Amino acid sequence: NAGVTQTPKFQVLKTGQSMTLQCAQDMNHEYMSWYRQDPGMGLRLIHYSVGAGITDQGEVPNGYNVSRSTTEDFPLRLLSAAPSQTSVYFCASSYRDSSLGLYGYTFGSGTRLTVV
Amino acid sequence: TQLLEQSPQFLSIQEGENLTVYCNSSSVFSSLQWYRQEPGEGPVLLVTVVTGGEVKKLKRLTFQFGDARKDSSLHITAAQPGDTGLYLCAGARSSGSARQLTFGSGTQLTVLP
């Protein structure tokens, strides 16, 4: 099925470890984003990309890196995991509605990360 | 600072009741979207409203965008257990930056059979 695929679904890391959260979409969407979701905080933007080779920071980028070498993939790297990065991470891709000039988001099912 | 305030934060009702949830801001948004999120899944887009005063209906769900484009409401008629979920509003400041949505913290709705 077309959509946004995130792996892994669950992950436990020790403080200081690094890892990469994978995100892939097969809808040929230009825009991709990473959000984290914490209780009572809604979704907060970490990084986003407007196309292959172009990335930019969102609201909470510290401790995370991204790259966009292809349209399909947008991995999120945690450089040195900290307990404050315990969260649920969502990847989203978005399209442009040509008639309204708007962007609708398709989200992956999330990665639940625990840092101990 | 949360730009979009949603209320109530939690809502538990019986099947068949009506309910309204609110999304308020002091900022003007060019568009506003509503999502529903079920446990273990990502948010799913329900609707986008663009014009101040606009009303959109999706079966038993009615969405309204405030005249000043600072607030929105979601009304559910005759709620069913399948409506249970986290409802999120998300606003875009301008059409050019619509890919950078600002999300509210959500309303957790539970509909009891």
Side-chain angles (χ1 to χ4, degrees), chain A residues 9 37 48 50 90 103 105 108, chain B residues 33 35 37 40 42 98-100:
Chain A
K9 189 119 175 123
Q37 186 174 36
Y48 66 96
V50 301
F90 288 99
Y103 300 86
Y105 278 59
Chain B
Q33 299 179 335
Y35 292 79
Q37 184 178 17
R99 59 185 175 272
Q100 297 184 47

Side-chain angles (χ1 to χ4, degrees), chain A:
Chain A
N1 292 335
V4 178
T5 302
Q6 287 185 240
T7 56
K9 189 119 175 123
F10 301 94
Q11 183 70 51
V12 178
L13 288 179
K14 293 182 178 179
T15 297
Q17 286 185 319
S18 63
M19 79 159 293
T20 299
L21 279 63
Q22 302 292 341
C23 176
Q25 55 96 3
D26 57 4
M27 297 171 285
N28 202 33
H29 287 175
E30 289 181 300
Y31 306 102
M32 297 186 75
S33 309
W34 275 102
Y35 289 85
R36 60 177 289 173
Q37 186 174 36
D38 301 291
M41 301 288 290
L43 288 149
R44 292 183 292 169
L45 181 65
I46 304 172
H47 285 285
Y48 66 96
S49 169
V50 301
I54 306 170
T55 64
D56 207 345
Q57 296 181 350
E59 181 186 355
V60 288
N62 292 341
Y64 308 94
N65 272 357
V66 292
S67 60
R68 185 94 179 271
S69 57
T70 66
T71 300
E72 294 78 20
D73 299 300
F74 191 43
L76 177 72
R77 281 183 290 278
L78 277 71
L79 309 174
S80 177
S84 60
Q85 294 179 304
T86 293
S87 186
V88 182
Y89 291 85
F90 288 99
C91 178
S93 71
S94 56
Y95 59 88
R96 182 179 180 90
D97 183 306
S98 58
S99 61
L100 297 176
L102 299 174
Y103 300 86
Y105 278 59
T106 300
F107 284 86
S109 57
T111 295
R112 185 174 294 275
L113 176 68
T114 302
V115 183
V116 298

Side-chain angles (χ1 to χ4, degrees), chain B residues 13 36-39 76 79-87 108-113:
Chain B
I13 61 170
R36 180 168 66 209
Q37 184 178 17
E38 298 185 9
I76 301 179
Q80 298 177 1
D83 296 325
T84 293
L86 178 67
Y87 288 81
Q108 181 63 53
L109 172 66
T110 302
V111 182
L112 303 170

Side-chain angles (χ1 to χ4, degrees), chain B residues 42-85:
Chain B
V44 175
L45 179 65
L46 296 174
V47 76
T48 301
V49 286
V50 179
T51 307
E54 181 177 4
V55 176
K56 280 192 174 179
K57 293 192 175 183
L58 184 65
K59 296 183 180 178
R60 293 176 293 99
L61 279 61
T62 302
F63 304 86
Q64 183 164 7
F65 202 12
D67 292 341
R69 291 185 291 136
K70 293 183 179 181
D71 56 85
S72 181
S73 64
L74 159 60
H75 181 80
I76 301 179
T77 303
Q80 298 177 1
D83 296 325
T84 293

